[in-house]
Amino acid sequence: MTVCIRSATAEDAPDVARLCWAYRDLLLSRSSDFPDMVEFYYGADSYADLINDLPRIHARPKGDILLATVDSKVIGCAMYYPFEIKGVTEIKRVFVDQTARGTGAGSALLRATMQAAQTDGYTRVVLDTVTTLTEAIALYGRVGFQPCAPYYETNPDFMPYLRFFDHPL
């Protein structure tokens, strides 16, 4: 199984939306300890609006939506965009379809996203996740991300469930 990474096009919008909704479903399935946090960040209506706005949020030349494909089938995504600190980008919504986990697609997406961000002039990448996404936390460690202090403010009640990571480029 050969995983290919490429930038999303307008025609990929349905696949990007499908993956983002699957990501949200995974978060919901693993959020029994913190359902209020998931609803706060991923409420259905606001999340639908966000998905529709992803092409603008992650627009070139300072961001991108990358897709992992196998035999032309879209199996994963990762996105980045400028963070509020100069030279820093944030990676969002790294997700690989359940049927393609273990193929190396997650690692390939992260590495390609970091390479693209570096090419775009970024010197540091940050990302966050929730404590229950243990596979994601392990993946970030394998790719070389290190835990870091929170890089945005959030409800203090949410902090026990969040993990923050960064990586120099």
Side-chain angles (χ1 to χ4, degrees), residues 23 40 44 54 66 79 83 90 92 100 113 130 143 161 164:
Y23 173 74
F40 177 80
L54 290 176
L66 299 178
M79 307 165 196
F83 191 66
E90 184 176 20
K92 299 295 286 183
T113 302
V130 294
V143 174
Y161 308 107
F164 299 86

Side-chain angles (χ1 to χ4, degrees), residues 106-135:
S107 177
L109 278 164
L110 272 177
R111 292 180 194 285
T113 302
M114 293 166 60
Q115 180 61 53
Q118 186 175 33
T119 299
D120 287 346
Y122 294 106
T123 58
R124 179 177 167 229
V125 63
V126 295
L127 56 80
D128 68 352
T129 192
V130 294
T131 56
T132 56
L133 293 184
T134 55
E135 304 92 339

Side-chain angles (χ1 to χ4, degrees), residues 29-111:
S29 74
R30 296 202 187 167
S31 67
S32 61
D33 290 345
F34 48 92
D36 293 342
M37 184 178 83
V38 175
E39 184 59 33
F40 177 80
Y41 286 115
Y42 299 96
D45 291 339
S46 61
Y47 197 60
D49 291 341
L50 174 71
I51 290 171
N52 290 332
D53 202 24
L54 290 176
R56 182 195 62 79
I57 294 168
H58 300 282
R60 301 292 309 137
K62 290 296 183 182
D64 206 355
I65 299 172
L66 299 178
L67 300 177
T69 64
V70 171
D71 298 329
S72 300
K73 181 180 185 222
V74 177
I75 60 161
C77 64
M79 307 165 196
Y80 70 100
Y81 69 107
F83 191 66
E84 57 198 42
I85 301 169
K86 184 172 174 47
V88 178
T89 184
E90 184 176 20
I91 295 177
K92 299 295 286 183
R93 289 167 288 285
V94 177
F95 182 78
V96 173
D97 187 81
Q98 183 175 353
T99 62
R101 293 195 187 135
T103 63
S107 177
L109 278 164
L110 272 177
R111 292 180 194 285

